[in-house]
Amino acid sequence: MELRRADIIAKEIEERIFDGSYADGERLDEVRLARHFGVSRTPLREALQRLALSGLVELVPRRGAFVRQPGPVELVEMFEVMAELEVVCGRLAARRISEAALAELRDANARCQAAVDACDPDSYYSANARFHQIIYRESGNSFLEAETRALHRRLEPFRRRQLRLRGRMAQSMSEHEAIVEALERGDAEEAAEALRRHVAVQGEKFLNLMLSLRRAAE
Amino acid sequence: MELRRADIIAKEIEERIFDGSYADGERLDEVRLARHFGVSRTPLREALQRLALSGLVELVPRRGAFVRQPGPVELVEMFEVMAELEVVCGRLAARRISEAALAELRDANARCQAAVDACDPDSYYSANARFHQIIYRESGNSFLEAETRALHRRLEPFRRRQLRLRGRMAQSMSEHEAIVEALERGDAEEAAEALRRHVAVQGEKFLNLMLSLRRAAE
DNA sequence: CACGACGATCTTGTATACAAGATGGTTGAC
DNA sequence: GTCAACCATCTTGTATACAAGATCGTCGTG
């Protein structure tokens, strides 16, 4: 047995929550899940604890674990925080970014463009994620980087839905270019604002998000 | 038997890590701790998992749990993020704060002043914490509030050390007043900047922080 | 004398057994 | 007929037992 099983199980359940296999409010039966994963309740409970800490399930004492999908309000709040974290990363990165990292950004952007041309949302998503994570890293603050990545990851399933909307990928691309430009110039405020515009969920984007939520709820 | 014991144990161990009873890198022996708390290894392991998620201990598979005090670099990073979160809270609060909350802030500030006059760092600390938490709440973003409070709590022991320094309380007070003023005027940028100045760790504050770390390490 | 391999022992990871609280249905009284 | 209390059952929380990997000392060899 090479690794801790609880990690694997937690990730698996997380995946199921993300992709909607487990509905909001659903109780996660320990013995059922334990049987399903072929383990005892001990490592499974560890996995549930872990998920509870990330906020994906709610652990009610003596009652069990319940899936806790963020509601519309909480989602908007999380996106707002995400935007602000990106802004902070961008502002710091504008001052601290290296020439090599700028090249990496341009490369990531090129891959984004290729994905847009190929109309491939999945590879666009991964190239886009790389783009952003370079900026997190170049903030020069590992703690900030870790926190930002964690939230990014948590919002991943919702972002992904948004991307499938018409024209979103192309728009996203041009925003990327504005960000890179600002970072090249070392213009912290412009980088910050470009990122804020890029990430913020507001107006029609907000509406779209809510609609996709409705769809996912069925 | 009333509540989940793992919570209580986790909090207890957390306290010990915070106050330095457990040194950095120290291994936390499961059976020893279990005996100490009068429980079996099962709830104790749950507690360790929890602490691992908060970053207070490192869980090395098949090796055990090790206390992981943040080093100087990580601490500075955490304070930088803390400052940015406060800034975000302040900026949002400036737009969203209610008249009642402003009154609460003035009240908290009065308590701070009373603590300064009485030279009572402990009650200053709690009044100060209340002051800041009102701002987090008035950001109108529960998720942001929760995240900010979590980091605030994690940095508490280090903040507390800083407060004992000469003149820090009085200076802190005047900064509070500037913050309240900006919030009253609804001046988001000024509130943000006032908070940044208030929370940022830089210059001699940085030095002091490092020194207090040294002291704690012994 | 130094280095490496082997094994005893200890510690963690997992499974199972047991205890205690929660749920839901049934029964009885009003 | 309705409401409430009680009991059976189920589920979680905790303890203990067992398995597997890691540490460290010892012994043997070069």
Side-chain angles (χ1 to χ4, degrees):
Chain A
M1 258 105 278
E2 64 288 13
L3 202 60
R4 185 167 293 142
R5 305 200 216 205
D7 284 316
I8 302 159
I9 296 166
K11 230 183 154 183
E12 185 79 26
I13 296 175
E14 193 181 271
E15 207 56 48
R16 303 248 174 160
I17 294 174
F18 280 166
D19 72 17
S21 300
Y22 297 134
D24 185 39
E26 185 174 338
R27 194 174 69 85
L28 296 173
D29 189 282
E30 289 182 2
V31 294
R32 217 179 86 83
L33 283 172
R35 261 207 304 266
H36 177 265
F37 287 109
V39 297
S40 83
R41 278 176 55 222
T42 312
L44 191 121
R45 280 174 60 83
E46 285 189 7
L48 289 180
Q49 303 261 346
R50 207 158 300 203
L51 295 171
L53 265 287
S54 345
L56 283 135
V57 309
E58 191 173 3
L59 237 47
V60 183
R62 295 276 175 200
R63 295 281 313 276
F66 298 86
V67 176
R68 201 177 155 301
Q69 294 276 18
V73 173
E74 193 177 351
L75 257 182
V76 171
E77 291 182 348
M78 288 166 79
F79 271 103
E80 189 171 60
V81 174
M82 186 75 229
E84 294 295 343
L85 287 177
E86 296 254 4
V87 164
V88 171
C89 286
R91 191 158 41 219
L92 295 177
R95 300 197 198 101
R96 300 171 179 173
I97 196 165
S98 67
E99 199 53 55
L102 278 170
E104 276 188 85
L105 275 180
R106 279 187 285 260
D107 177 62
N109 233 357
R111 284 168 203 261
C112 284
Q113 187 62 57
V116 170
D117 295 341
C119 273
D120 182 350
D122 282 325
S123 66
Y124 179 85
Y125 189 87
S126 63
N128 178 63
R130 188 165 159 253
F131 179 86
H132 283 272
Q133 280 169 14
I134 292 165
I135 296 175
Y136 307 160
R137 170 163 50 82
E138 293 304 309
S139 74
N141 183 323
S142 310
F143 182 74
L144 176 62
E145 181 190 355
E147 294 287 308
T148 310
R149 285 182 72 138
L151 186 53
H152 183 100
R153 177 164 154 54
R154 199 161 154 196
L155 291 173
E156 177 176 320
F158 305 102
R159 272 180 204 273
R160 215 182 260 273
R161 277 180 207 146
Q162 244 187 303
L163 262 185
R164 305 208 184 269
L165 301 169
R166 275 167 50 81
R168 182 68 193 108
M169 286 198 299
Q171 188 199 336
S172 196
M173 265 308 302
S174 72
E175 288 165 5
H176 275 201
E177 273 162 19
I179 293 163
V180 175
E181 256 180 58
L183 288 175
E184 275 171 350
R185 292 202 314 274
D187 185 338
E189 284 321 306
E190 181 48 32
E193 283 317 305
L195 269 162
R196 194 193 300 276
R197 286 195 300 271
H198 178 53
V199 180
V201 176
Q202 45 189 263
E204 62 172 327
K205 279 160 97 181
F206 172 79
L207 185 62
N208 288 328
L209 185 60
M210 291 304 103
L211 290 173
S212 71
L213 264 181
R214 283 250 178 105
R215 245 183 294 140
E218 296 159 7
Chain B
M1 247 121 273
E2 67 283 14
L3 202 62
R4 185 166 293 141
R5 305 199 215 204
D7 284 316
I8 303 158
I9 296 166
K11 228 182 155 185
E12 184 78 27
I13 297 175
E14 193 180 271
E15 207 57 47
R16 302 250 174 157
I17 294 175
F18 280 166
D19 73 17
S21 300
Y22 297 133
D24 184 39
E26 186 173 337
R27 194 174 69 86
L28 297 174
D29 190 281
E30 290 181 3
V31 294
R32 217 178 87 84
L33 283 172
R35 261 206 305 266
H36 177 265
F37 286 109
V39 296
S40 83
R41 278 176 54 222
T42 313
L44 192 121
R45 280 174 61 83
E46 286 190 6
L48 290 180
Q49 304 260 344
R50 208 157 301 202
L51 295 171
L53 265 286
S54 343
L56 283 132
V57 309
E58 189 173 4
L59 235 50
V60 182
R62 297 274 176 201
R63 296 281 311 276
F66 298 86
V67 177
R68 203 179 155 299
Q69 295 275 20
V73 172
E74 192 176 354
L75 256 182
V76 171
E77 291 182 348
M78 288 166 80
F79 270 103
E80 187 171 60
V81 173
M82 185 75 229
E84 295 295 343
L85 287 177
E86 296 256 3
V87 164
V88 171
C89 287
R91 191 159 42 216
L92 295 176
R95 302 197 197 101
R96 301 171 179 172
I97 196 165
S98 70
E99 201 52 56
L102 277 169
E104 278 189 85
L105 275 180
R106 280 186 284 259
D107 177 64
N109 235 357
R111 284 169 203 261
C112 283
Q113 186 62 58
V116 171
D117 295 341
C119 274
D120 181 351
D122 282 325
S123 65
Y124 180 86
Y125 191 87
S126 63
N128 178 63
R130 186 165 160 255
F131 179 86
H132 283 273
Q133 280 168 15
I134 292 165
I135 296 175
Y136 305 161
R137 170 163 51 81
E138 294 303 310
S139 74
N141 183 323
S142 311
F143 182 75
L144 176 62
E145 181 190 354
E147 295 286 309
T148 309
R149 284 182 71 137
L151 186 54
H152 184 100
R153 178 163 155 55
R154 200 160 153 197
L155 290 173
E156 177 176 321
F158 305 101
R159 274 180 203 275
R160 213 181 261 275
R161 277 180 207 144
Q162 246 186 301
L163 262 184
R164 305 210 184 268
L165 300 169
R166 275 166 50 82
R168 182 71 193 105
M169 287 199 299
Q171 186 198 336
S172 195
M173 267 306 303
S174 72
E175 287 165 4
H176 275 201
E177 275 162 18
I179 293 163
V180 175
E181 256 180 59
L183 288 175
E184 276 171 350
R185 291 201 314 272
D187 186 338
E189 284 320 306
E190 181 48 33
E193 283 316 305
L195 269 163
R196 195 193 298 278
R197 286 194 300 270
H198 178 54
V199 180
V201 177
Q202 47 191 262
E204 62 173 325
K205 280 161 93 182
F206 171 78
L207 184 62
N208 288 328
L209 182 62
M210 291 305 103
L211 289 174
S212 71
L213 262 180
R214 282 254 179 103
R215 245 186 293 138
E218 294 159 9

